[in-house]
Amino acid sequence: MLDIRVIRENPEEVKARLKPRSGDAWKLVDDVLACDEARRNAETEKQALQSERNATSKQIGMLKKKGEDTSSIEARVREIGDRIRELDRVAEENAAQLTSLLMNIPNLPHLECPVGADETANPEIKLWGEKPAIENPKDHVELAANLGMISFEDGARITGSGFVVYRGAGARLERALINFLLNTQTVENGYQEVGVPFVVKRECMEGTGQLPKFEEDMYGTEDQQMFLIPTAEVPVTNLYRDTILQESDLPIKMAAYTPCFRREAGSAGRINRGMIRVHQFDKVELVQILKPEDSFRELEVLRSHAESILQKLGLHYRVIELCTGDLGFSSAKTYDIEVWAPGQGQYLEVSSCSCFTDYQARRMRLRYKDADGRNQFCHTLNGSGTALPRLYVALLETYQQPDGSIRILPDHHKETAVALSTIVRQCELRNDDDRLREMWPVMLRGMEHLRRMRDDSFKLGKDYPAYGLFQPSFGD
């Protein structure tokens, strides 16, 4: 939540920065100020009355020692006590109302955040790769159905619409992708892997900003006091709620795989064919906790970690920065990474990378002790590294073959195969045995690379075995 002191000292500036956001949250600023003033006035009057009561109580004691009548003064003490109890009630009511108002005010957009009303105003800031040239591309629903990888009918039969059952090679591809994502983020990018519960307390959802704003999109239980997680961001970031860290503990970088559960109550009319918008999906989430001066710089690094997944898989994508009207509730700055899906003919969001400044940390009471021994609120970042369903869609649709099979092969392996075949062909054409002997060690290394290429590739089709994708840690 926002710092009440910032609102109190600069209310017009806060309103001005909130107005470009969607909604009318800026109108709550005056209500916040009124509640804050009422609470502070009650506390001030209470303190004055307590001082009066203490002084009056001493006076009663002295008068009684002299044998004088104190009934009128004692009546005043009782009046003071009644008033203090009333002021306590007023202060508590206004404090509760103040907290409720602050919980419903979004974060302030970054000062350089693009200003715009909705997603149409989001600027594209990066384009990577090229759209694959596929004549009459099929979409993932048809491809997966023909290969027996996914059953939407089975998901609907056992749970309902918006749920997917993976079968055979489809399930193995999902599992292998999870391992690939986790291995990339932990081994290469330095995140600590954590395994967390998939159900959290209500206060954890409030801590990261999903509640109270988006409660209708969540799956709640236990009288809405426990929730299935909509993203690993919730349990992972809340691992440090109510904590005071040492400066030397920062930064903290964590990665977690979890299933995610969302009702998607507000998604009517949005594209939702097949796996594009489902109620349960797998995701690997990246979370960082760090000092304020590092947060926006490290957001760029975190974004590169998410992008590296698509680059390794050779998938064309773009990066957009969200404008003020499309910015998430808790975020101050957000990049969306969108992968190209040929069968859809459009880009699909697979990662959203955000800096929340101290907004989440205030809600969670997450602080660190600085070099001067003062407690400061941390800053938090998170990003998908990445979400699985749309990545899965892009892979199937990008690497589809004319015969209906799917061949997934990382680009660096393709280059190795081409280079190796070129060496052999040149030696054969020249009848150059000496050159062939000279290149033999290189070729042996290349052959080993090709063996790994086989292990790292994944070909799906009725006449093809399913090889391991990116060396999954659960071998078959």
Side-chain angles (χ1 to χ4, degrees):
M1 64 179 68
L2 298 182
D3 186 348
I4 183 61
R5 292 174 298 180
V6 172
I7 298 176
R8 190 185 298 147
E9 295 168 8
N10 303 286
E12 296 308 314
E13 179 183 347
V14 171
K15 289 180 187 178
R17 291 180 64 182
L18 288 174
K19 280 182 180 180
R21 274 184 166 273
S22 61
D24 295 325
W26 65 272
K27 295 180 180 179
L28 298 178
V29 171
D30 288 337
D31 295 334
V32 166
L33 293 173
C35 277
D36 182 50
E37 184 178 9
R39 180 190 62 81
R40 296 174 74 193
N41 287 342
E43 292 290 350
T44 300
E45 184 180 349
K46 174 184 171 181
Q47 292 173 3
L49 289 172
Q50 286 174 329
S51 296
E52 180 184 348
R53 182 171 62 180
N54 291 338
T56 304
S57 296
K58 291 179 181 179
Q59 184 181 6
I60 290 173
M62 290 186 293
L63 290 174
K64 283 187 174 181
K65 285 181 181 180
K66 297 177 181 179
E68 297 182 15
D69 180 28
T70 60
S71 56
S72 61
I73 301 178
E74 289 177 6
R76 173 56 183 162
V77 170
R78 288 192 293 272
E79 289 177 4
I80 292 173
D82 292 341
R83 180 57 180 164
I84 287 176
R85 283 188 289 273
E86 173 63 16
L87 290 171
D88 282 336
R89 183 190 64 78
V90 170
E92 289 175 6
E93 287 180 355
N94 279 280
Q97 179 65 11
L98 179 61
T99 298
S100 177
L101 288 167
L102 289 172
M103 294 284 273
N104 281 281
I105 295 178
N107 200 356
L108 299 178
H110 185 249
L111 288 172
E112 297 179 3
C113 184
V115 176
D118 54 35
E119 60 186 13
T120 61
N122 294 335
E124 179 182 284
I125 64 169
K126 181 177 180 179
L127 201 63
W128 190 91
E130 296 181 356
K131 295 178 182 177
I134 304 174
E135 187 175 353
N136 300 319
K138 299 175 181 177
D139 76 0
H140 68 285
V141 177
E142 181 179 354
L143 291 165
N146 290 342
L147 297 174
M149 298 172 62
I150 298 171
S151 174
F152 298 100
E153 293 77 12
D154 287 346
R157 183 180 302 112
I158 62 176
T159 307
S161 63
F163 292 88
V164 179
V165 171
Y166 300 90
R167 288 184 176 273
R172 190 159 180 252
L173 174 58
E174 179 80 353
R175 168 167 57 92
L177 281 170
I178 292 169
N179 289 325
F180 168 63
L181 298 177
L182 281 173
N183 289 341
T184 299
Q185 301 302 351
T186 56
V187 176
E188 296 185 16
N189 295 331
Y191 291 82
Q192 179 191 45
E193 184 175 350
V194 293
V196 291
F198 305 157
V199 181
V200 294
K201 298 175 181 178
R202 184 180 185 88
E203 52 261 39
C204 292
M205 297 280 280
E206 292 173 340
T208 44
Q210 280 74 21
L211 297 184
K213 176 74 172 178
F214 304 107
E215 187 157 353
E216 68 172 5
D217 281 338
M218 307 302 156
Y219 286 100
T221 184
E222 301 292 335
D223 196 26
Q224 296 296 95
Q225 296 306 303
M226 302 288 285
F227 289 83
L228 298 178
I229 61 170
T231 166
E233 168 196 350
V234 180
V236 174
T237 314
N238 275 280
L239 286 172
Y240 291 92
R241 67 177 295 111
D242 295 312
T243 299
I244 300 178
L245 299 165
Q246 297 301 313
E247 189 171 12
S248 58
D249 295 330
L250 302 175
I252 295 172
K253 298 170 59 178
M254 298 171 286
Y257 154 73
T258 67
C260 305
F261 305 88
R262 299 179 187 178
R263 293 186 185 275
E264 298 285 5
S267 63
R270 301 169 73 178
I271 184 168
N272 57 11
R273 176 170 165 78
M275 297 171 62
I276 294 175
R277 192 170 298 279
V278 290
H279 298 307
Q280 177 184 329
F281 60 93
D282 293 322
K283 182 155 69 86
V284 169
E285 189 77 2
L286 309 177
V287 171
Q288 293 193 29
I289 300 171
L290 62 179
K291 294 187 291 184
E293 59 266 31
D294 299 332
S295 59
F296 286 107
R297 182 185 70 248
E298 289 303 312
L299 175 62
E300 306 300 319
V301 178
L302 183 144
R303 191 191 88 196
S304 73
H305 294 160
E307 288 184 51
S308 69
I309 297 297
L310 303 181
Q311 293 173 6
K312 286 175 179 291
L313 293 174
L315 295 172
H316 169 61
Y317 70 90
R318 69 178 183 178
V319 180
I320 62 173
E321 183 175 354
L322 300 195
C323 69
T324 52
D326 199 30
L327 200 61
F329 184 81
S330 301
S331 176
K333 184 175 184 177
T334 295
Y335 295 110
D336 275 2
I337 303 172
E338 301 180 339
V339 68
W340 178 254
Q344 310 302 312
Q346 67 172 9
Y347 291 97
L348 303 175
E349 179 199 328
V350 291
S351 179
S352 190
C353 302
S354 300
C355 175
F356 302 98
T357 58
D358 62 358
Y359 188 86
Q360 292 180 329
R362 287 183 180 278
R363 294 167 81 109
M364 292 186 293
R365 297 171 296 280
L366 166 56
R367 295 164 289 175
Y368 75 97
K369 197 173 292 292
D370 67 14
D372 297 324
R374 295 175 299 184
N375 292 336
Q376 306 284 356
F377 284 102
C378 300
H379 278 202
T380 57
L381 311 176
N382 75 46
S384 305
T386 63
L388 266 294
R390 296 175 184 179
L391 179 64
Y392 202 109
V393 167
L395 281 170
L396 298 191
E397 295 183 1
T398 297
Y399 290 109
Q400 59 182 289
Q401 304 299 307
D403 64 357
S405 64
I406 297 161
R407 178 72 171 178
I408 301 170
L409 188 64
D411 280 343
H412 64 282
H413 291 326
K414 293 178 185 176
E415 294 169 2
T416 299
V418 170
L420 183 59
S421 64
T422 300
I423 290 172
V424 174
R425 185 168 179 272
Q426 287 176 347
C427 290
E428 289 175 343
L429 288 173
R430 296 173 184 172
N431 195 21
D432 191 346
D433 291 341
D434 291 338
R435 176 62 175 167
L436 197 57
R437 279 192 295 271
E438 180 184 334
M439 294 304 298
W440 189 247
V442 176
M443 292 172 64
L444 285 178
R445 289 196 296 272
M447 290 170 66
E448 173 61 19
H449 206 154
L450 285 175
R451 184 194 65 76
R452 290 198 301 271
M453 177 180 70
R454 185 209 68 184
D455 292 338
D456 280 6
S457 69
F458 200 91
K459 187 158 188 177
L460 302 173
K462 294 180 179 177
D463 300 323
Y464 302 108
Y467 295 114
L469 175 68
F470 314 125
Q471 301 173 358
S473 45
F474 304 111
D476 285 340

